[in-house]
Amino acid sequence: MLQLQVIRDHKEQIITALKKRNIDALPLLENILDLDENRRSLQAKLDNTLAESNKLSKEIGMLFKSGKAQEANVLKEKTGVLKEESKTLNEALSSKAEELQALLYQIPNIPHESVPAGSSEEDNEEIFKEGEVPALVENALPHWELAKKYDIIDFELGVKIAGAGFPVYKGKGARLQRALISYFLDKNTEAGYTEMQVPHLVNEASGYGTGQLPDKEGQMYHVGADDLYLIPTAEVPVTNIFRDEILNEKDFPIRYTAYTPCFRREAGSYGAHVRGLNRLHQFDKVEIVRVEHPEKSYQALDGMVEHIKNILRELKLPYRILRLCGGDLGFTSALTFDFEVFSTAQDRWLEISSVSNFETYQANRLKLRYKDENGKSQLAHTLNGSSLALPRVLAAILENYQTEDGIEIPEVLRPYTGFDSIS
């Protein structure tokens, strides 16, 4: 979330910046500043009351020592009144602080200056495109029909076991899925990311720490009995490793990668665009997370983009990169690049990665700081990206690599699958 001091010092700039997100932030910011002024006034009254109470306590001790018990008892009555006042002020202060925190959670991150204005994904800016779209065989099939033809993914069985959006991978389909996970992890660790295995459920503090709560509460699966949430991405548990931590400058850069299943309640709608693997309730993803010095975070973001480019080049999938506009930018992100692969059989682009810099937004929620060269605590920058999300990568491989005789396996994956084709 945004820092209060930043809001106090740069209110007009924040209002202007959030217009890129099509948000009129003026009423909310004014409400926050009024609440903050009220809170600070209560804090000053509480501090004065406590100081007066402490002063009287010292005087009472001295009076008792001097044998002036009657005068001491008079002051004791005054301290009793002050204690009640302190209690009332403390309760009011806690209430105002909670109200203020709830409002701060409602403000999204400030878009980076390079973020284009726009209201929807139609206004996103294509900044890069690479790869040849293959010429498919006549009557090429979409991946959900290929999955059925070659008996490698069973969507109906998933419905029987859990419901729509929970596919069952079978035989070579399951092996290809596992191959992609291993390949992505190997590419990430070769690039200097440390592999982590993390919980697939997180507590409420973790959800608030990375900004999924309260913004995306309706999209998360909640385990009510234990007050835990199934993770929508490995970003949540991996980034929360650093919650309430103070790092040293020498610790940077911090680079982690993790494979996890991901759970989202967003599948919901029907139609060709959400058929098969296009949108799921449960899916596999390999994530990369970085914690960086603020002066180097955008250099790190560029490095993450290049890293994912190299993976897609090796898979020989046609892809493009979009710079998200303000209206399509994630709540916590300052700048996001989306990667999309072209699904030739569906004749459409499929999003397979978002790479984002959150600057200090998550770090402020997480209380993730580092000591600078002067020993002063500063907020770090956090970044993350999908490297990669599996369902749509798998869909693109099945569709783009189909032949009259079956489905070829990308050459780079063959050491992981142990077979060259699905037929």
Side-chain angles (χ1 to χ4, degrees):
M1 60 189 173
L2 301 185
Q3 296 169 268
L4 260 174
Q5 190 62 50
V6 173
I7 295 173
R8 290 192 205 109
D9 295 342
H10 304 287
K11 185 182 80 169
E12 295 304 323
Q13 293 94 315
I14 292 170
I15 290 169
T16 300
L18 289 179
K19 285 179 180 177
K20 278 191 176 180
R21 290 183 177 270
N22 308 301
I23 293 172
D24 178 11
L26 177 61
L28 181 55
L29 293 187
E30 288 187 337
N31 197 358
I32 285 170
L33 292 174
D34 288 343
L35 263 176
D36 183 45
E37 191 64 35
N38 197 329
R39 179 189 63 83
R40 288 196 287 170
S41 176
L42 285 170
Q43 184 67 62
K45 289 178 182 178
L46 177 60
D47 291 343
N48 290 336
T49 302
L50 291 173
E52 181 66 18
S53 181
N54 290 336
K55 179 184 174 185
L56 289 178
S57 294
K58 290 178 181 177
E59 291 181 16
I60 290 166
M62 292 175 65
L63 288 169
F64 273 123
K65 285 181 182 179
S66 303
K68 299 177 181 179
Q70 186 175 353
E71 293 178 41
N73 286 328
V74 171
L75 292 183
K76 280 184 74 176
E77 290 181 14
K78 288 185 179 180
T79 59
V81 173
L82 289 172
K83 284 180 181 178
E84 283 300 313
E85 288 181 10
S86 298
K87 182 181 177 183
T88 301
L89 286 168
N90 233 329
E91 290 172 353
L93 186 62
S94 295
S95 176
K96 289 295 179 187
E98 289 177 8
E99 192 177 349
L100 182 60
Q101 188 81 346
L103 288 180
L104 286 169
Y105 281 142
Q106 293 179 30
I107 307 174
N109 202 354
I110 299 169
H112 186 264
E113 60 184 12
S114 67
V115 171
S119 57
S120 71
E121 62 183 22
E122 301 300 321
D123 300 311
N124 292 336
E125 177 187 357
E126 183 182 296
I127 62 169
F128 189 81
K129 185 187 287 186
E130 187 173 63
E132 294 294 325
V133 174
L136 296 185
V137 296
E138 190 176 351
N139 299 320
L141 300 174
H143 70 270
W144 53 86
E145 293 186 24
L146 292 168
K148 186 172 184 178
K149 179 179 179 178
Y150 296 109
D151 195 25
I152 54 175
I153 307 172
D154 195 323
F155 295 100
E156 289 75 19
L157 186 55
V159 172
K160 173 185 176 181
I161 296 169
F166 297 91
V168 175
Y169 299 85
K170 304 168 65 177
K172 287 187 174 181
R175 186 68 178 267
L176 179 55
Q177 182 86 342
R178 179 157 56 93
L180 280 166
I181 293 167
S182 296
Y183 166 66
F184 292 152
L185 286 171
D186 283 352
K187 291 298 294 182
N188 295 344
T189 55
E190 287 168 12
Y193 291 84
T194 300
E195 184 177 350
M196 307 291 284
Q197 287 192 2
V198 290
H200 299 164
L201 293 107
V202 294
N203 54 29
E204 186 178 70
S206 294
Y208 273 93
T210 45
Q212 276 68 31
L213 296 176
D215 179 54
K216 291 183 171 59
E217 187 166 9
Q219 295 183 26
M220 295 177 72
Y221 285 98
H222 184 224
V223 183
D226 301 299
D227 197 20
L228 295 172
Y229 293 84
L230 284 166
I231 60 170
T233 165
E235 169 202 344
V236 183
V238 173
T239 310
N240 270 278
I241 290 170
F242 301 99
R243 177 156 43 93
D244 298 319
E245 294 291 324
I246 299 179
L247 308 171
N248 293 308
E249 281 190 304
K250 64 179 177 60
D251 295 326
F252 298 128
I254 294 171
R255 293 172 289 188
Y256 283 170
T257 184
Y259 153 70
T260 64
C262 303
F263 304 88
R264 300 183 187 179
R265 301 180 63 229
E266 64 184 2
S269 58
Y270 296 91
H273 285 189
V274 294
R275 288 192 68 178
L277 298 172
N278 287 348
R279 187 168 296 172
L280 302 172
H281 285 308
Q282 177 182 329
F283 61 94
D284 291 322
K285 184 154 67 83
V286 176
E287 197 80 356
I288 50 177
V289 170
R290 296 181 72 139
V291 180
E292 291 282 350
H293 190 286
E295 293 178 1
K296 297 183 178 179
S297 68
Y298 279 96
Q299 179 182 341
L301 183 66
D302 290 341
M304 294 166 75
V305 168
E306 289 301 317
H307 174 65
I308 294 168
K309 279 184 183 180
N310 289 332
I311 292 175
L312 291 170
R313 284 170 184 148
E314 287 192 359
L315 288 172
K316 297 181 180 177
L317 291 172
Y319 71 94
R320 68 177 182 176
I321 304 174
L322 305 176
R323 190 198 317 266
L324 298 195
C325 71
D328 201 30
L329 194 64
F331 189 85
T332 56
S333 176
L335 176 62
T336 294
F337 296 106
D338 269 8
F339 281 75
E340 297 181 338
V341 293
F342 192 73
S343 167
T344 309
Q346 296 180 69
D347 192 29
R348 61 185 292 251
W349 293 97
L350 304 175
E351 180 197 332
I352 45 87
S353 176
S354 287
V355 187
S356 303
N357 189 345
F358 306 103
E359 296 186 358
T360 61
Y361 192 89
Q362 288 183 334
N364 192 32
R365 289 181 174 226
L366 294 160
K367 294 182 173 60
L368 166 54
R369 294 153 291 172
Y370 70 95
K371 293 284 188 182
D372 66 16
E373 58 186 9
N374 299 315
K376 187 177 179 181
S377 289
Q378 306 285 357
L379 291 173
H381 279 196
T382 60
L383 306 91
N384 86 279
S386 308
S387 181
L388 290 160
L390 272 78
R392 294 171 185 172
V393 171
L394 182 58
I397 288 172
L398 296 180
E399 294 178 7
N400 291 0
Y401 277 84
Q402 64 180 300
T403 68
E404 292 181 354
D405 300 320
I407 300 164
E408 298 295 320
I409 300 299
E411 188 175 348
V412 72
L413 293 179
R414 293 175 185 178
Y416 293 91
T417 58
F419 51 85
D420 297 347
S421 64
I422 297 171
S423 59

